[in-house]
């Protein structure tokens, strides 16, 4: 099961919503926890991000000039890579870097992307985007989970897992992600591998899609 749909279509933007998500501490001596967030339909998109920005800002800060400079270097490098053309200026204004360094952002690692092959039901991992600059420890449980789902991102700091239905043609809905789903043989992990295979096959052409779908269905899903 993919969890229960928790927000039916309604015309009332103040309609309350509640959904569950999972906390994976980087400290392996601490247990994973099932958490609950209450909000309203109008805040369905930003409620979790706002909660986690506040959390990440409170648990760890850029405590040294070296950490702050590391972050500014990372931001500058990222902006340079995002330049649309070689003619755009390579240097980034230092005041802009200072402002960005003062902000807290959340990075989202898609374990199941919201694509048609997944029925637009995504499972995402949320981590501190400033984690490397803050010198946070590797989260071995979260990193292993990313690996099991076919990814290769190393996670640092605490992590959170959540699920949603996100089809741009419809209203976004939050869906429960529970602690019971953290077992290594959980169906959603098999689904993550299936979707990853289909997405990669789509990049290679239609014939490959059919072949990969058949392989995944018989050897992964079943």
């Amino acid at each position: 099961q993919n969890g229960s749909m928790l927000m039916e279509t309604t015309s009332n933007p103040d309609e309350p919503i509640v959904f569950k998500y999972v906390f994976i501490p980087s400290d392996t001596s601490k247990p994973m926890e099932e958490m609950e967030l209450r909000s309203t339909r109008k805040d369905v998109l930003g409620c979790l991000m706002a909660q986690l920005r506040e959390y990440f800002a409170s648990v760890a800060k850029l405590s040294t000039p070296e950490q702050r400079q590391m972050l500014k270097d990372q931001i500058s490098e990222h902006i340079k890579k995002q330049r649309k053309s070689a003619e755009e200026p390579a240097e980034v204004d230092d005041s802009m870097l200072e402002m960005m360094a003062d902000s807290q952002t959340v990075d989202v690692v898609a374990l199941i992307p919201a694509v048609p092959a997944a029925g637009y039901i995504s499972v995402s991992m949320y981590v501190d985007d400033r984690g490397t600059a803050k010198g946070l420890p590797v989260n071995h449980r979260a990193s292993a989970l990313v690996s099991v789902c076919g990814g290769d991102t190393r996670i640092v700091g605490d992590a959170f897992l959540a699920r949603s239905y996100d089809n741009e043609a419809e209203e976004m809905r939050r869906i429960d992600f529970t602690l019971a789903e953290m077992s290594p043989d959980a169906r959603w992990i098999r689904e993550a591998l299936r979707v990853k295979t289909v997405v990669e096959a789509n990049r290679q052409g239609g014939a490959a899609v059919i072949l990969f779908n058949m392989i995944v269905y018989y050897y992964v899903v079943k």
Side-chain angles (χ1 to χ4, degrees):
Q1 295 293 327
N2 282 329
S4 58
M5 289 287 184
L6 291 175
M7 191 182 67
E8 300 300 329
T9 301
T10 173
S11 59
N12 180 10
D14 295 318
E15 181 78 18
I17 63 170
V18 56
F19 61 93
K20 297 175 182 177
Y21 60 106
V22 169
F23 170 46
I24 309 175
S26 59
D27 184 347
T28 55
S29 68
K30 296 180 179 179
M32 294 183 291
E33 298 179 41
E34 183 176 291
M35 312 191 80
E36 188 175 87
L37 181 58
R38 296 177 179 274
S39 188
T40 59
R41 186 171 69 88
K42 65 184 177 184
D43 295 322
V44 64
L45 180 62
C47 62
L48 184 58
M49 293 293 277
Q51 175 100 346
L52 297 184
R53 276 197 300 270
E54 183 177 339
Y55 172 82
F56 289 132
S58 67
V59 297
K61 301 183 183 300
L62 296 170
S63 56
T64 67
E66 291 76 17
Q67 289 179 340
R68 191 174 182 83
Q69 185 59 50
M70 178 187 293
L71 176 58
K72 289 169 65 177
D73 291 343
Q74 290 173 352
I75 294 173
S76 180
E77 186 63 29
H78 177 74
I79 292 175
K80 290 176 184 178
K81 289 181 179 179
Q82 296 300 312
R83 287 186 304 155
K84 294 181 180 179
S85 69
E87 288 73 28
E88 293 185 23
E91 296 303 319
V92 183
D93 182 77
D94 194 61
S95 63
M96 180 194 300
L97 287 177
E98 287 290 343
M99 181 180 66
M100 296 177 73
D102 285 333
S103 68
Q104 174 65 58
T105 56
V106 179
D107 192 19
V108 182
V109 180
L111 302 186
I112 301 180
V115 295
Y120 298 103
I121 296 177
S122 66
V123 173
S124 302
M125 181 177 289
Y126 299 81
V127 300
D128 189 341
D129 193 42
R130 310 306 199 213
T132 299
K134 291 178 180 179
L136 299 181
V138 174
N139 189 323
H140 295 286
R141 287 179 294 194
S143 297
L145 187 58
V146 172
S147 179
V148 166
C149 292
D152 58 2
T153 302
R154 188 184 73 156
I155 305 300
V156 297
D158 295 338
F160 297 83
L161 277 178
R163 178 186 282 120
S164 66
Y165 174 81
D166 192 7
N167 179 353
E168 291 184 358
E170 301 177 46
E171 191 175 70
M172 180 182 181
R173 298 194 295 272
R174 295 288 181 179
I175 307 173
D176 281 342
F177 191 96
T178 67
L179 193 58
E181 297 181 80
M182 293 303 293
S183 62
D185 60 345
R187 183 175 179 81
W188 75 269
I189 294 178
R190 299 197 299 274
E191 174 70 357
L193 293 171
R194 184 192 70 80
V195 172
K196 178 179 175 62
T197 304
V198 172
V199 170
E200 290 179 350
N202 273 326
R203 296 195 185 107
Q204 299 175 21
V209 173
I210 297 174
L211 176 61
F212 274 109
N213 272 333
M214 292 174 61
I215 293 173
V216 172
Y217 178 77
Y218 285 105
Y219 294 100
V220 178
V221 177
K222 295 184 70 175

